[in-house]
Amino acid sequence: MAKAFASQGDMSEKKISFTEVGEGLYAFTAEGDPNSGVIIGDDSVMIVEAQATPRLANKVIECVRSVTDKPISHVVLTHYHAVRVLGASAFGAQNIIMSDTARAMVVERGQEDWDSEFQRFPRLFEGHESIPGLTWPTTTFSDSMTVYLGNRRIDIKHLGRAHTAGDAVIHVPDQNVMFTGDIVEYHSACYCGDGHFGDWGNTLDNIKAYDVDAIAPGRGDALVGKDMVNAAIENTRDFVESTYRPAAKVAARGGSLKEAWDAVREACDPKFKDYAIYEHCLPFNVARAYDEARGIDTPRIWTAQRDLEMWEALQS
């Protein structure tokens, strides 16, 4: 039987966890599905990552309401991907924040990404009829900005390219906790299809320099304690490098995408094949690594059609 494309065969509901990662700070996680973060301020709440649909966003809201009745005033989106942003309308927040670069990517490829991810993740897009359209920020920033929820300071920063060109991280200094989006994962494959392999390691170094006490990663369990934080950062680094190096060697000798796929599988399967969404991510990761190694700096836009053409080429 032919292998299902991306996550088309994954229709099982995931167990939700809501973990306190600092005082008034929570990670909403779901066994490798996209995570969200919650930051409770003096008078209101900030959400980090909006989920794929209002239906899923409401699961986050249920968890928020289990710990506070304060209104949700801000939603911060670490990047532009549909599974992260299209649920934003459910929160009713007046302020939606992205980096300048992330907003530009919504303009350039937001609809194509939505169409592509809808095909890849049918379970995550159940209830998609309630999505009002592309999510647009009310506020953008270039390198950094600060939001105060009463006395609670929240620093939102672009520390470098990694998962996308416009990634943001959110640091809460009073608890020394960071929300990293998909720059850092924990026992979940990194999706690198729109990534920048050459920059990712430096961006991880910039995160590591904060020496945080906890991280809410993009996927996987909350990371509480410096040992768990540092282990996840280094594991993410290993995943990214183990994907890029074999693909780059194939590209350097003029080999094919299919040869790169075989080489990456040989390097990564022994270490990562049991990670959440590993099989989903691998074809996109190989395609992007192969492109970057051949000098294509800006990731090519994924479309529903390109997805299937790439998948067919790798199955031949």
Side-chain angles (χ1 to χ4, degrees), residues 184 204 207-208 215 228-237:
V184 177
L204 289 172
I207 290 172
K208 197 167 186 175
I215 281 177
M228 198 171 181
V229 164
N230 289 328
I233 289 172
E234 294 312 311
N235 183 251
T236 300
R237 189 192 310 275

Side-chain angles (χ1 to χ4, degrees), residues 15-252:
K15 179 184 175 183
I16 291 170
S17 299
F18 194 58
T19 306
E20 191 168 21
V21 293
E23 186 178 345
L25 306 174
Y26 295 86
F28 173 100
T29 67
E31 298 185 305
D33 275 1
N35 293 344
S36 288
V38 177
I39 301 171
I40 302 174
D42 292 336
D43 302 311
S44 66
V45 176
M46 175 182 284
I47 303 294
V48 179
E49 311 289 42
Q51 298 287 317
T53 63
R55 180 186 74 87
L56 290 173
N58 279 318
K59 293 180 181 290
V60 179
I61 293 169
E62 287 175 14
C63 290
V64 172
R65 292 295 164 241
S66 73
V67 294
T68 183
D69 60 1
K70 294 174 184 178
I72 296 169
S73 58
H74 295 73
V75 172
V76 181
L77 304 170
T78 66
H79 60 287
Y80 73 97
H81 284 154
V83 294
R84 298 294 182 179
V85 307
L86 293 180
S89 62
F91 295 100
Q94 290 188 328
N95 305 283
I96 299 177
I97 300 169
M98 280 183 180
S99 70
D100 291 336
T101 302
R103 186 191 186 281
M105 297 180 88
V106 176
V107 175
E108 178 191 41
R109 58 184 69 196
Q111 186 61 55
E112 290 85 351
D113 182 72
W114 180 355
D115 295 342
S116 170
E117 294 204 51
F118 182 85
Q119 172 179 264
R120 300 179 191 181
F121 277 115
R123 176 175 51 80
L124 292 184
F125 285 95
E126 290 175 1
H128 62 89
E129 300 85 358
S130 61
I131 301 170
L134 291 172
T135 298
W136 297 99
T138 62
T139 304
T140 62
F141 67 95
S142 177
D143 298 315
S144 66
M145 68 178 288
T146 298
V147 174
Y148 286 91
L149 299 183
N151 290 318
R152 171 156 265 180
R153 172 176 173 157
I154 301 156
D155 294 324
I156 308 168
K157 296 175 177 284
H158 173 66
L159 296 180
R161 302 190 304 182
H163 176 68
T164 73
D167 293 334
V169 302
I170 297 87
H171 183 238
V172 184
D174 66 70
Q175 295 291 299
N176 197 27
V177 169
M178 187 173 281
F179 300 80
T180 64
D182 287 317
I183 302 172
V184 177
E185 311 284 31
Y186 184 68
H187 286 277
S188 179
C190 300
Y191 175 75
C192 311
D194 301 297
H196 295 270
F197 288 93
D199 294 358
W200 205 312
N202 290 335
T203 303
L204 289 172
D205 290 341
N206 292 337
I207 290 172
K208 197 167 186 175
Y210 278 78
D211 193 27
V212 294
D213 295 311
I215 281 177
R219 293 176 187 267
D221 294 345
L223 309 170
V224 179
K226 293 183 188 295
D227 288 347
M228 198 171 181
V229 164
N230 289 328
I233 289 172
E234 294 312 311
N235 183 251
T236 300
R237 189 192 310 275
D238 185 31
F239 186 96
V240 171
E241 291 179 353
S242 295
T243 301
Y244 183 69
R245 281 196 304 262
K249 288 180 180 178
V250 171

